[in-house]
Amino acid sequence: PLAVPIAEVMTANPVTVGPKDPIRVAVKRMEQGGYRHLPVVGEDGRPIGVLSAKQVVHYLVEHFPATVYNQPPDPATVPAEAEGA
């Protein structure tokens, strides 16, 4: 509800990323904190957007399709024999 103070529903001092931070920084912060979303803040500390885990996955698929699409269903599984001729 609009009557609830924002301090009651928003995390104080959230973990953030900058617009020029490498994707690895965002992924590491998401993994370490268990976050699915990170605020993106400018150099002045003002919010300019939100980065989601879904956006990160789309970015990786767009830029590294062969690597992403050629992963086995279980990355720990390795074929016993080489595939192909």
Side-chain angles (χ1 to χ4, degrees), residues 12 29 42 49 51-53 64 66 69:
R29 290 180 184 167
L51 178 65
S52 71
F64 306 100
Y69 289 129

Side-chain angles (χ1 to χ4, degrees), residues 3-85:
V4 175
I6 196 160
E8 290 185 24
V9 295
M10 185 174 171
T11 303
N13 302 316
V15 174
T16 64
V17 291
K20 294 188 180 193
D21 284 342
I23 196 76
R24 65 181 162 78
V25 170
V27 169
K28 187 173 185 174
R29 290 180 184 167
M30 286 179 170
E31 180 183 22
Q32 288 176 336
Y35 309 125
R36 292 176 49 179
H37 296 87
L38 290 177
V40 181
V41 296
E43 290 181 16
D44 59 358
R46 296 176 59 90
I48 57 176
V50 176
L51 178 65
S52 71
K54 184 177 181 179
Q55 289 171 310
V56 171
V57 170
H58 284 286
Y59 172 87
L60 293 172
V61 169
E62 181 180 335
H63 289 85
F64 306 100
T67 302
V68 173
Y69 289 129
N70 290 325
Q71 294 296 311
D74 179 3
T77 302
V78 178
E81 298 178 18
E83 295 181 16

